[in-house]
Amino acid sequence: MSSYALSLPASISFGGPTRPGVSSNKKQDLAIKPALRALFGLFFLWPLFSRIKDFSKKEGYHPRFNPFLLFIGSLFFELFSALPEPYFIVSFLSVFFFIPPFEALNYAKLQCNEFVNIEQESFNTRQIVLIVIGSILWFLVILEMFM
């Protein structure tokens, strides 16, 4: 499955696909909680993209993205969330700025021996049901905005 095919379900479920393995806090020896990391994403996103790029280079991937430009693009599109209805919908496009680092990280994790990798070939029944329910809810929200 391509990352672009996963971007819609990932944006619908607000989390996207996850893989078991070593958590980032344990690997990096960080004492900060994931919720605080999300809150301070403004400070962590650019260095995170840079570290993903460096890690993927070390594992043999040749990333073609600029961490700074991805950070600025993501931040720019997130600012659209302050716009009134229906224009705030444009802010959901910010998810596309996470796809290049996501692909690079997945490639590097598959090549690295430190991680337990389980490749998911398709969605299970529970995931399909959640995607359908989420799609229906999003459709109703968008439909309501234009009525």
Side-chain angles (χ1 to χ4, degrees), residues 5-73:
L6 291 175
S7 63
L8 179 63
S11 63
I12 290 171
S13 66
F14 299 112
T18 59
R19 292 176 186 237
V22 179
S23 76
S24 60
N25 282 355
K26 290 179 187 174
K27 185 176 185 326
Q28 300 168 5
D29 295 323
L30 296 176
I32 190 166
K33 297 193 182 294
L36 290 176
R37 253 187 132 155
L39 181 65
F40 295 116
L42 183 63
F43 304 110
F44 285 102
L45 193 57
W46 182 8
L48 177 65
F49 286 165
S50 297
R51 286 177 36 189
I52 288 172
K53 186 175 183 176
D54 294 341
F55 176 60
S56 63
K57 275 184 184 176
K58 186 180 85 173
E59 295 300 326
Y61 187 74
H62 301 292
R64 298 182 311 253
F65 63 87
N66 184 335
F68 178 71
L69 292 178
L70 290 178
F71 168 72
I72 294 298

Side-chain angles (χ1 to χ4, degrees), residues 80-107:
F80 284 115
S81 65
L83 292 176
E85 236 179 68
Y87 304 110
F88 75 91
I89 281 273
V90 175
S91 69
F92 293 135
L93 295 176
S94 69
V95 74
F96 290 106
F97 291 96
F98 291 87
I99 291 175
F102 180 74
E103 286 179 337
L105 182 63
N106 278 346
Y107 177 86

